[in-house]
Amino acid sequence: MAQISRKAKIITILSLLVAIALTLFIYFHFFFVYSSGVNAGEINYFQQEGLVFKTYEGKMIQTGFKSAINATKLQSNEFKFSVTDKKIADTLMRCSGKEVELRWKRYMGTLPWRGNSQYVVTEVLSIQEPARFF
């Protein structure tokens, strides 16, 4: 039985360490849920897009936040998100202009089949018509 040379052992151990490091990087960057939460606001748009991977993308306008520069003015913030579940996407397709409350998960990286955003909506908590003052 031939003995394994010292050089071959070092190459094997280094290759194994690189493979483990790469696996951990891919897992934490693309599959580990970095944060989760709930956002509420008015759906600005929601659409299906993509050339190869058709994904659902949307934007929600969150209003009522005070500006850090001038406390008397209000500013709106945009929340861009993706949806992977077709049932949720069908629900949101009918919500343009409505107030919605969405539960989401945030990943560090995006995958082409998961959407263009780090934020992936997992649940629609509530839908209501916006208040009209006229």
Side-chain angles (χ1 to χ4, degrees), residues 27-130:
Y27 172 74
F28 281 107
H29 193 72
F30 295 111
F31 298 101
F32 178 75
V33 176
Y34 175 72
S35 65
S36 61
V38 175
N39 282 27
E42 184 177 315
I43 296 290
N44 187 15
Y45 72 82
F46 189 75
Q47 64 190 12
Q48 186 178 28
E49 62 183 41
L51 295 174
V52 176
F53 296 102
K54 296 291 186 185
T55 61
Y56 296 99
E57 308 296 328
K59 187 189 316 182
M60 181 168 61
I61 305 298
Q62 300 172 284
T63 57
F65 294 95
K66 289 187 179 179
S67 173
I69 298 169
N70 188 345
T72 60
K73 291 186 179 179
L74 295 179
Q75 72 180 34
S76 63
N77 292 328
E78 294 180 347
F79 176 63
K80 295 180 182 178
F81 60 91
S82 299
V83 175
T84 56
D85 186 345
K86 179 138 175 56
K87 286 177 69 176
I88 294 172
D90 290 341
T91 301
L92 289 174
M93 284 285 188
R94 298 184 302 274
C95 291
S96 184
K98 295 182 181 177
E99 294 283 332
V100 296
E101 190 174 10
L102 304 175
R103 178 165 292 155
W104 51 264
K105 293 180 180 178
R106 180 179 177 204
Y107 300 91
M108 295 301 291
T110 62
L111 293 169
W113 54 87
R114 193 167 59 197
N116 296 330
S117 174
Q118 293 178 336
Y119 296 92
V120 177
V121 171
T122 58
E123 184 180 1
V124 177
L125 298 174
S126 68
I127 303 169
Q128 55 187 331
E129 293 291 330

Side-chain angles (χ1 to χ4, degrees), residues 7-22:
K7 187 177 181 180
K9 284 182 185 179
I10 291 172
I11 290 173
T12 302
I13 290 171
L14 286 176
S15 298
L16 187 60
L17 289 175
V18 167
I20 290 170
L22 186 61

